[in-house]
Amino acid sequence: MTQEIPKTYEANKYEDGIYKLWEESGFFNPDRIKSKKKYCNILPPPNANGELHLGHASGYTVMDIFGRYHRMKGEKVLLYPGKDHAGIQSQVVYERKIKEERGISRYDLGREKFYKEIYDFCIDRSNYMRAQEKKIGISADWSREKFTLDPEVLSGALETFVKMEKDGMIYRGERIINWCPRCATALSDVEVLHKKTAGKLYYIKYPLKDSKQFIIVATTRPETMLGDTAVAVNPKDKRFEKLVGKIVILPLQNREIPIIADRRMEMEFGTGAVKITPAHDPLDWQIGKDHKLQEIQVINEKAEITKLGGRHVGQKVEEARENIVRDLTELGLIEKIEENEINKSICERCKETIEPLISKQWFVDVDAKKYSLKKESLKAIKNKQIKFFPNNFEKIMTQWFSGLHDWCISRQIWWGPQIPVWYCEKCGEENYIVSIEKPTNCPKCKGTKLTQDPDTFDTWFSSGQWPYTVLGYPKGQDYKDFYPTEMMVMGRDILSFWCSKMIMLSLYRTGKVPFKNLFFTGLIRDKDGQKMSKSKGNGVDPLEMIEKYGADALRMSLITDTTPGLDTRLYEEKIEKYRNFVTKLWNIYRYSFSSSENLELVEKISKKDVRSLADQWIVSRANQTILETSKMLENKNIALAENILIKFTWDELAAWYLEIHKLEKNDKVLGYVLDKVLKLWHPFMPFVTEKIYGDANKKVKMLMVEKWPVSDKKLIDKKSEKEFRDLQEMIVKIRNIRSSYRIAPSEIIEAYAKKLKNQEIIEKLGRVKFVDAKKQGIEISGKDLKIVLDIAELIDVEKEKKNFAKEIANLENLIAKNNTLLANKNFLASAPKEIIDNNKAKMIEYKTKLKKQKELFSNLNNLGKQGV
């Protein structure tokens, strides 16, 4: 008795149960798998303050495909999950939450209570996100899940700071930093976004001392002029060579400042003369150091003018700008104001405008004498210790490390690990103590009044140590078993944020790179290639799509046509298309097991089980597909592996072999091929394949831990493949004749041929009936075979002749018009290249169609004249 199989696969009915089955099996845990071969991918820890988005879904899909592939190869696979406390971002999110819901700020709570509340909030969100992550099917070992603030993880990160300080790699000093007035903290360069925006370029007259002359400077930020300590020009600029060394009177402040020469000045910008404000511009700060200029801070941490800004004290930056321009205009010192696009620096987290300020911060010396993070990282990349996907990202990473500056690791926020530095009330900040635990007393004066530095670490300082701290460096068993890891998958947008930090910190602590392979995913864009955003309303909610179409459909749509490191497009119709493919796989299963009482999945097959040409072809193609898919996965070409499998499943198995199976009924071969199809598809579509495999094969073992197919090269038969392609070609030609002459599918065409093989297949798939008597009609030819199709009685010959004559005349007219256009020199000289290319492509298309239509017309004229 054949099985009763549901007509449709209802993903939302089965997926949660299947995931529960996987979890309860314990096979997400590599300890359950006996193997000397190991595969580990430390999953990038998402910020513990939100929910699953498309970027997570895309990355998790890639990670899980590789993980499931290696698990099926019999390796101990560890997909290591976790969550990141995400310092500034989580604090911004939670501060906004308590402001909206309770009308309070963190200052109302105090540091300790605020920290506890945000900790509980992040743990709650982590639990919520974990449930979401499971929806995509990620086969991670949740029993090992870590949080960046877990004691065992955090202690490793703090120990790194202590070691670096002892090695002379940490210093505290005043430097110009990126300051976010909203977050009230310093930011590293990679935490600053640069946004093109409309602005103005102000041309201001600076009077020369003891002269009626002026030097005109151009600036986009007139408010910072209150802290100017020089005007700079390029030493090669002939316009100003007589002014270098002279003194100007700073407008509004009436302070004398020099005109200096510096090769870093761009002669093309504005007038070529630039105001220098060392306290409020990174380049100016460096120039100020080189020329020993005074540093005057006129903007504070709240983006307000300081008392050094004169009568504008207390004004916000925007207000001060307007007032200063008004004052300068009244004094006749504004030459002109131009509209100008500026590169505005904003906070990556809250999008507030950044203020460059001089501030006392903790820094990592990236090129220290005892150990150079910069040089060691460059050496590891040069020595190919990490393989990049795509490989051009190796060059990008090299360039980034080559231009690396000292890293500001202190943040003036409350959420995150506090810097393990202590100050003695009596000895002051200069004699600080570095210790993870609070010292009992000051080693210098023995005083007991010690306070910890209030600053916290940059998030990337702790998450940059994630690969080895979560594995229990240095003595943990996971560290011994899995480090360095085989793979790291991450979005290309965090290359400078996270990837670089992992490489340099891992090399410093462990002496090894953190991973052997580095795979970058691109951004997910909408149908038109636009970046997704809430304001545009073009986003796609992954959980909504999973509910509607199933996780397998979403996974497939996220990887199709993707290339490592490049952006891809996603839209609902694309997901729906792959839901249809999931349905196709279900229908293959449904036909197979509904049509036979004896069908079962077969792992191996012998040549004696392969009876017909169709059997030889599909078995050969199955083994070739195993070979090609495995090769693509080994080379990290997921999309190409997917394409190979789609072609085999849809275009070969479903479109051809299943139709032939209805005639030949070789269940052994079908069971063998279906077994391979389910196993090959499992890493990509784990839910539907597990469901089918479990229902079709009542073994206790799950598909997730079945063996990955290995190609049997003895069963690859190129001769049979060629012979079957010839058969396919003849059937396609018959179908094309039927389509071209508009013969209804229900009509059976009488046909005649000599030395006919595979008659039953041709008759069924071509909808023809071979007769013994010679026939007259349209002749089609293939290798060693000619078939005559008698269609005269099935069509209105004269009517079809008129239709083809009309189509031929129309095509000839189009070709003539296009020829005239492409011969027109004026058109070729003025039209855009894409339009010219489009017309040339149309010409090829028209000529191809014309040739085909003429052949079809000729066939009609010759009806009744041909024979075999």
Side-chain angles (χ1 to χ4, degrees), residues 297-436:
Q297 184 171 329
V298 294
I299 298 172
N300 65 18
E301 290 84 355
K302 295 180 181 179
E304 297 172 345
I305 302 300
T306 69
K307 63 182 180 180
L308 296 177
R311 69 190 190 90
H312 298 287
V313 62
Q315 294 175 4
K316 286 288 186 181
V317 165
E318 294 80 6
E319 180 189 358
R321 181 181 304 162
E322 291 179 10
N323 292 334
I324 287 167
V325 171
R326 186 196 61 221
D327 291 348
L328 291 169
T329 302
E330 289 175 357
L331 292 170
L333 296 178
I334 293 288
E335 175 73 10
K336 61 179 177 177
I337 301 174
E338 293 179 343
E339 296 298 320
N340 182 64
E341 187 179 64
I342 60 173
N343 210 13
K344 187 176 181 181
S345 298
I346 59 175
C347 174
E348 188 257 344
R349 301 301 185 188
C350 74
K351 308 302 184 284
E352 182 78 12
T353 301
I354 293 300
E355 284 295 340
L357 299 178
I358 292 174
S359 176
K360 185 173 280 189
Q361 302 287 340
W362 290 98
F363 293 88
V364 172
D365 183 346
V366 297
D367 199 15
K369 188 175 181 180
K370 185 171 182 179
Y371 185 93
S372 172
L373 295 167
K374 182 176 181 177
K375 288 173 184 172
E376 291 301 319
S377 299
L378 285 168
K379 189 194 298 181
I381 294 169
K382 185 180 179 181
N383 293 340
K384 308 293 182 185
Q385 291 181 40
I386 301 172
K387 192 170 183 180
F388 290 80
F389 298 89
N391 57 16
N392 65 301
F393 272 51
E394 179 182 320
K395 184 178 180 182
I396 295 171
M397 185 63 82
T398 299
Q399 290 171 340
W400 195 87
F401 272 119
S402 298
L404 188 62
H405 300 294
D406 285 358
W407 174 18
C408 176
I409 58 168
S410 49
R411 298 291 180 269
Q412 289 67 49
I413 60 174
W414 290 357
W415 174 238
Q418 238 173 299
I419 289 175
V421 167
W422 304 83
Y423 303 112
C424 172
E425 186 181 87
K426 186 176 180 181
C427 297
E429 291 189 0
E430 297 307 313
N431 296 296
Y432 60 81
I433 309 151
V434 178
S435 174
I436 295 175

Side-chain angles (χ1 to χ4, degrees), residues 617-669:
W617 169 73
I618 197 66
V619 168
S620 180
R621 290 297 306 130
N623 280 279
Q624 187 64 37
T625 299
I626 294 168
L627 205 62
E628 292 172 2
T629 304
S630 301
K631 182 181 177 182
M632 289 303 156
L633 288 175
E634 288 296 324
N635 292 333
K636 314 297 185 288
N637 288 321
I638 291 177
L640 292 180
E642 180 197 50
N643 289 342
I644 290 166
L645 287 174
I646 288 174
K647 184 178 184 301
F648 176 74
T649 307
W650 198 302
D651 299 343
E652 296 178 338
L653 175 59
W656 289 93
Y657 187 74
L658 290 189
E659 294 302 312
I660 296 170
H661 176 267
K662 292 172 185 177
L663 297 171
E664 298 182 346
K665 300 289 184 183
N666 192 337
D667 291 346
K668 192 72 176 283
V669 166

Side-chain angles (χ1 to χ4, degrees), residues 73 125 166 232 242 262 308 316 333 407 454 461 510 579 587 608 627 702 710 861:
K73 285 175 64 184
R125 296 308 297 176
K166 286 180 180 176
K242 292 182 180 178
D262 193 281
L308 296 177
K316 286 288 186 181
L333 296 178
W407 174 18
F461 185 80
T510 73
R579 190 274 311 275
N587 287 339
K608 68 178 182 180
L627 205 62
M702 291 182 299
V710 176
N861 283 330

Side-chain angles (χ1 to χ4, degrees), residues 85 285 323 367 428 473 574 684 721 780:
H85 70 280
W285 182 79
N323 292 334
D367 199 15
Y473 171 82
K574 188 176 182 183
F684 302 86
E721 286 189 36
I780 57 172

